[in-house]
Amino acid sequence: VAWRRIELAAVEFGMRLGPLSQMDEIGIDVILRAAAAFHRGNPVIPPQSELLLAMYQSGRIGRKVGRGFLDYSTDPPSPDPAAVEQSAGFRNRTIDCTDAELTLMLFVPMLAAACGLLEQQIVPDANAVRQALVAGLACRRNAAILPAWGRDLGRHAIESWAARLGLPAVESQSLERLLEG
């Protein structure tokens, strides 16, 4: 899927920045360290992304060095051609999807992760998930609708997309707690 479509789908859903821009802002070096720490605390979370590791090794770690997924020497920043080329080597396949399907691919994993946080009692309720979206991911307040979006989507669709995306099974009690919040 084209990078611009991914970024636009995330922003239209309510994120302040698309996921690639967000990673550049945080710094790929920081993300890799955080992923390793999260993995130590929860082995289900992958320890690292091979693409992010390759970007780190090539020095493309984000805005702080002027290049990451985007090239910050242009105004506005544009996709870094070297990063586009590098990421192509990690692509399993090119997919053709609608904008609605792309939104599902981006946000069903977030719903599944939120369910995991509820299941492990790391967060107490759906309100804590909404607060994390606003404070942690700098989503616009209306983007904290992830639980409501999931409720509208429905349990069957969430479980079906989670399976389609190869995510661990969503624990039904946690999903119900998230959706009722």
Side-chain angles (χ1 to χ4, degrees), residues 15-77:
M15 292 182 72
R16 183 178 64 85
L17 297 170
L20 304 172
S21 298
Q22 186 86 34
M23 285 188 276
D24 275 0
E25 289 295 322
I26 294 168
I28 290 170
D29 54 331
V30 173
I31 290 171
L32 287 170
R33 280 195 224 78
F38 286 137
H39 176 71
R40 283 191 300 275
N42 185 349
V44 172
I45 298 172
Q48 65 189 16
S49 156
E50 295 301 319
L51 171 59
L52 293 183
L53 186 58
M55 299 234 350
Y56 172 79
Q57 290 170 339
S58 69
R60 269 188 287 292
I61 61 172
R63 182 181 283 274
K64 61 186 154 195
V65 298
R67 61 191 185 136
F69 285 101
L70 302 175
D71 176 357
Y72 294 91
S73 67
T74 63
D75 189 24

Side-chain angles (χ1 to χ4, degrees), residues 9 13 98-111 149 153 157-158 161-162 164-165 167:
F13 188 82
T98 66
D99 289 344
E101 290 170 326
L102 179 56
T103 298
L104 288 163
M105 287 185 260
L106 288 170
F107 293 101
V108 165
M110 288 179 78
L111 270 173
W149 175 78
L153 192 58
I158 294 166
W161 271 93
R164 183 174 175 184
L165 295 170
L167 302 172

Side-chain angles (χ1 to χ4, degrees), residues 2 6 12 24 27 47 79 82 87-88 131 134 144 149 156 161 164 176 179:
I6 294 169
E12 284 180 354
D24 275 0
S87 68
Q131 289 173 346
V134 172
W149 175 78
H156 176 73
W161 271 93
R164 183 174 175 184
E176 292 303 321
L179 299 183

